[in-house]
Amino acid sequence: MLCADFNSAMGSIRGNKVRVLAVTTDKRSAQLPDVPAIVETFPDFPVMKSWVAIYAPKGTPSEVTQLLAPLILSITESPEFLRPLEANGFERLAVSGPQLTAFTKDELAKWEKLIKRAGIQPQ
């Protein structure tokens, strides 16, 4: 059994080299509509999504981040940008500023809790 991100697994999935049991997202994937979301079977399973964000260094003036955020978001909604990503299971989550900060904090808290519950120790 392996829990892999879409991008790493899609070649093997498309080549019928693996059997997909579930996706670890909160809903079925548009790329694999016949594959159940894991929460359909295990409602308390933590949602696991790969995600990417762009951050500015601490202390960057808000004028700069307020200028860059909409430009970056507009690039990420273009078909040229989205097409290859969507083909590999990525979904766009268009957030910036306080929404991105809250999302990041929630993700870090979720993983900290899971790591502690699993008894994983730093090495």
Side-chain angles (χ1 to χ4, degrees), residues 55-123:
Y55 297 91
K58 185 176 184 175
T60 300
S62 63
E63 298 82 18
V64 173
T65 58
Q66 289 173 5
L67 173 71
L68 290 175
L71 295 172
I72 293 167
L73 289 173
S74 70
I75 291 168
T76 66
E77 71 183 357
S78 72
E80 297 82 11
F81 182 87
L82 288 173
R83 194 174 301 113
L85 297 174
E86 288 174 342
N88 286 310
F90 286 93
E91 296 177 11
R92 182 174 180 263
L93 175 63
V95 297
S96 64
Q99 291 174 307
L100 178 57
T101 299
F103 174 81
T104 304
K105 286 181 180 180
D106 290 347
E107 283 289 294
L108 291 172
K110 174 180 75 178
W111 286 103
E112 180 181 26
K113 180 180 174 183
L114 290 169
I115 288 167
K116 285 181 180 177
R117 188 167 45 169
I120 298 171
Q121 297 297 316
Q123 296 183 13

Side-chain angles (χ1 to χ4, degrees), residues 14-25:
R14 288 190 182 113
N16 293 318
K17 295 181 180 182
V18 297
R19 181 173 161 222
V20 182
L21 301 176
V23 293
T24 60
T25 52

